[in-house]
Amino acid sequence: GELIDRLLSASASRILPVDSEHSAIYQCLVGEDPATVDRLIITASGGPFRNHTKEQLADVTVADALRHPNWSMGNKITIDSATMMNKAFEIIEARWLFGLEADRIEPVVHPQSIIHSMVQFCDGAVKAQLGIPDMHLPIRYALGDATRIDSHERRLRIEDYASLTFFRPDMSKFPCLGLAYTALEHGGTAACAINAANEVAVAAFLAERIRFTDIYQVIEQTRMATTFVPDPGYDDYVAVNSEARAKADEIIKTL
């Protein structure tokens, strides 16, 4: 985020968010004064294990973790959703996309995946963007550069949903989510090491080399063991990425 921000400050380019959560926030901010934003509320489906206990998570299989209730995604992102690591990355991304500090970005579990994210303002008002769990709308909105392009995709019919529910995520059960705040608190190459370790850990889980609950342990142990650069340049990110992947693989071999 810091590297891209520096590059953008010397460029006429802009970043238009495509991910559904960030697109939702972007849409809610249209016409609003950024100074009036109180907090960003990023919604999460909670993945397939939102109602599992910690004890049950120790025994989940790869097949279990790949059964996402709402979205059809590739294997890696589906596992990230199951661990809520994907939401940690989205919090990090939101911090840089919208310029808010981490303590003003909050996740909330919303099992129906109809509200894609929300923005609360200084007067207490909350704006939300709703839609079916489908990527056509946010991609089209970005391609149109915030101009709404006519679509014949399936429409949301709000009357088809008896209720929309929300609850706080359990970070003791899904510790990967807390890594967002760890990364943003430390800054530097912390997020780079976390991302690299996660990719290696998820691949190991998909290959049935480690348990589902080992994913967090691999990431955290790798973060602690990897060189930390507080003010990195591009070459530092490349080096830390490589180092973290190697250390994660070493840790996996000990499990």
Side-chain angles (χ1 to χ4, degrees):
E2 292 163 315
L3 178 63
I4 297 299
D5 262 11
R6 287 199 298 268
L7 293 171
L8 286 173
S9 68
S11 169
S13 297
R14 294 178 297 129
I15 291 180
L16 300 178
V18 172
D19 200 5
S20 62
E21 292 83 358
H22 303 103
S23 176
I25 293 168
Y26 182 55
Q27 292 178 57
C28 290
L29 291 174
V30 170
E32 300 287 355
D33 180 352
T36 65
V37 174
D38 183 37
R39 64 178 179 142
L40 307 181
I41 305 166
I42 297 184
T43 56
S45 70
F49 306 135
R50 58 179 172 252
N51 296 318
H52 277 48
T53 65
K54 284 184 183 180
E55 293 71 27
Q56 288 174 316
L57 288 175
D59 297 321
V60 301
T61 66
V62 172
D64 294 333
L66 289 175
R67 293 193 195 100
H68 195 283
N70 298 343
W71 293 89
S72 176
M73 305 177 288
N75 287 357
K76 194 270 182 183
I77 297 176
T78 303
I79 301 303
D80 283 348
S81 177
T83 63
M84 296 197 74
M85 190 74 234
N86 71 321
K87 212 51 51 177
F89 289 141
E90 288 170 14
I91 291 168
I92 295 169
E93 292 158 7
R95 182 264 177 272
W96 295 108
L97 284 169
F98 304 110
L100 264 69
E101 296 304 316
D103 61 359
R104 294 170 63 194
I105 307 172
E106 300 178 16
V108 63
V109 176
H110 168 49
Q112 295 81 19
S113 296
I114 296 301
I115 293 179
H116 295 290
S117 277
M118 298 172 267
V119 177
Q120 187 166 53
F121 296 91
C122 61
D123 62 353
V126 176
K127 288 174 71 173
Q129 188 268 325
L130 286 69
I132 59 172
D134 184 286
M135 285 302 297
H136 284 92
L137 192 154
I139 293 171
R140 184 177 290 105
Y141 193 75
L143 290 174
D145 193 4
T147 298
R148 297 199 180 274
I149 300 170
D150 189 30
S151 167
H152 300 290
E153 300 295 334
R154 182 165 67 92
R155 296 288 204 267
L156 170 68
R157 295 179 60 87
I158 199 67
E159 63 270 26
D160 292 341
Y161 296 86
S163 63
L164 299 178
T165 55
F166 308 88
F167 56 90
R168 290 184 180 278
D170 184 345
M171 290 201 191
S172 67
K173 192 167 66 173
F174 296 103
C176 284
L177 181 56
L179 289 169
Y181 300 99
T182 300
L184 291 172
E185 178 185 357
H186 287 80
T189 53
C192 179
I194 287 170
N195 177 71
N198 179 66
E199 291 197 357
V200 174
V202 169
F205 171 68
L206 287 169
E208 300 183 340
R209 294 174 60 204
I210 61 173
R211 297 178 303 169
F212 181 79
T213 48
D214 289 332
I215 294 174
Y216 170 76
Q217 299 300 332
V218 171
I219 298 169
E220 181 60 6
Q221 289 180 40
T222 300
R223 181 186 72 82
M224 297 290 289
T226 300
T227 301
F228 173 72
V229 183
D231 187 23
Y234 178 78
D235 290 342
D236 296 310
Y237 287 116
V238 172
V240 167
N241 175 68
S242 297
E243 180 187 348
R245 289 174 186 274
K247 289 191 180 297
D249 202 44
E250 291 172 9
I251 291 165
I252 286 165
K253 290 173 182 176
T254 70
L255 296 177

